Amino acid sequence: MNTSATEPANALRPYILVVEDEDALGTLLQYNLDKEGYRVAQCADGEEALMNIEEKQPDLVILDWMLPTVSGIEVCRRLRQRADTRNLPIIMLTARGEETDRIRGLDTGADDYVVKPFSMIELCARVRAVLRRIRPGLAENRVKHGNLLIDRVAHRVKRGDQEVHLGPTEFRLLDYFMQHPGRVFSREQLLDAVWGSDVYVETRTVDVHIGRLRRALNVEGDEDPIRTVRSAGYSLDV
Ligand code: CA
């Protein structure tokens, strides 16, 4: 398990799902987004994409318009109907002339669209722009929520005027919560995001680190910002 404060932590790296059935383009996207510091997964059809998203919600989806099984537009529509994915950032990919007018109107529910062929520089810029607009917590170095402030570059946390000292795991936990304030995460989801899915850690470990995070954040007279949701998990509520 990597708990070094200097290594890029999993929770600091936004997770992007690429849904593209052209192998070469999918691979190229994956390679470039990985190089930009994102965690990337790829799938090649709409049904698989929906299952993937259900299992592990990405921070952003790059979604091809024409896909086997379920089309990109249908995937987008279904994601917008679900409460938990209603605000999930989506960038649509489309071939030139392929219903671009409809996409341009964005009645698909997508946040942005990119017309093929596009440069990777352009696509990465769009990804950054959408993340900044929709999830500022993912793109900014300093994120404030309630009276909590996290500075990712300086690796510092403050609650009100008070400096809060956190271990590397507690820092990543808090960072992850601050990317999604108010959202309830199960222990498994937190393990996956903060420790990484390739690491075997017992779910009880999450409780231990939540406990430490709570104690550290428990500045005199302030309310506990971490809410325990019975049989569901934890969320940040300030
Ligand atoms: Ca396609």
Side-chain angles (χ1 to χ4, degrees):
M1 179 167 50
N2 174 22
T3 51
S4 161
T6 52
E7 295 287 324
N10 253 338
L12 302 184
R13 300 175 59 200
Y15 165 51
I16 297 180
L17 180 66
V18 173
V19 191
E20 171 57 74
D21 59 321
E22 284 167 51
D23 268 352
L25 181 57
T27 306
L28 195 65
L29 282 165
Q30 192 156 11
Y31 173 79
N32 280 278
L33 291 167
D34 180 74
K35 225 173 54 181
E36 288 283 307
Y38 300 107
R39 287 178 294 148
V40 195
Q42 194 202 333
C43 56
D45 76 71
E47 203 165 325
E48 203 189 329
L50 287 166
M51 282 192 304
N52 253 292
I53 292 165
E54 180 121 8
E55 209 167 281
K56 181 179 180 177
Q57 195 173 126
D59 295 300
L60 182 141
V61 182
I62 295 177
L63 184 60
D64 188 29
W65 173 271
M66 298 291 270
L67 288 170
T69 64
V70 181
S71 74
I73 192 77
E74 179 61 18
V75 170
C76 192
R77 202 181 59 79
R78 289 196 205 170
L79 291 175
R80 288 298 177 247
Q81 282 173 346
R82 279 170 34 187
D84 60 333
T85 53
R86 186 165 296 145
N87 299 314
L88 179 60
I90 298 173
I91 297 179
M92 284 289 260
L93 303 180
T94 167
R96 201 171 291 283
E98 196 181 75
E99 305 236 23
T100 31
D101 287 345
R102 220 176 125 197
I103 300 187
R104 211 164 268 144
L106 295 182
D107 61 352
T108 58
D111 297 285
D112 199 358
Y113 71 97
V114 179
V115 178
K116 295 179 189 176
F118 50 83
S119 76
M120 285 298 150
I121 293 169
E122 183 193 352
L123 183 92
C124 290
R126 300 286 192 96
V127 167
R128 272 196 302 275
V130 168
L131 283 177
R132 219 173 7 244
R133 194 171 75 233
I134 294 162
R135 296 262 175 89
L138 280 174
E140 305 300 325
N141 290 330
R142 284 162 66 93
V143 181
K144 206 171 168 349
H145 188 70
N147 63 355
L148 282 171
L149 174 82
I150 190 164
D151 185 327
R152 290 171 176 155
V153 175
H155 220 81
R156 288 169 73 178
V157 174
K158 281 177 98 173
R159 186 155 196 208
D161 296 330
Q162 297 233 37
E163 191 92 19
V164 176
H165 299 281
L166 298 179
T169 304
E170 288 73 38
F171 186 89
R172 293 207 297 271
L173 260 175
L174 179 66
D175 188 5
Y176 193 65
F177 278 127
M178 286 190 62
Q179 289 168 23
H180 316 270
R183 194 166 134 197
V184 179
F185 292 103
S186 68
R187 290 168 177 82
E188 287 77 15
Q189 285 170 326
L190 290 173
L191 268 183
D192 204 26
V194 175
W195 280 261
S197 50
D198 50 344
V199 178
Y200 183 76
V201 186
E202 285 192 49
T203 47
R204 275 188 52 85
T205 307
V206 176
D207 301 331
V208 172
H209 287 277
I210 290 276
R212 286 185 198 159
L213 177 60
R214 273 193 165 128
R215 278 194 295 279
L217 292 177
N218 197 357
V219 177
E220 227 177 310
D222 266 336
E223 262 178 63
D224 186 352
I226 311 278
R227 186 164 62 102
T228 305
V229 184
R230 248 180 96 91
S231 75
Y234 299 103
S235 77
L236 178 74
D237 280 305
V238 270

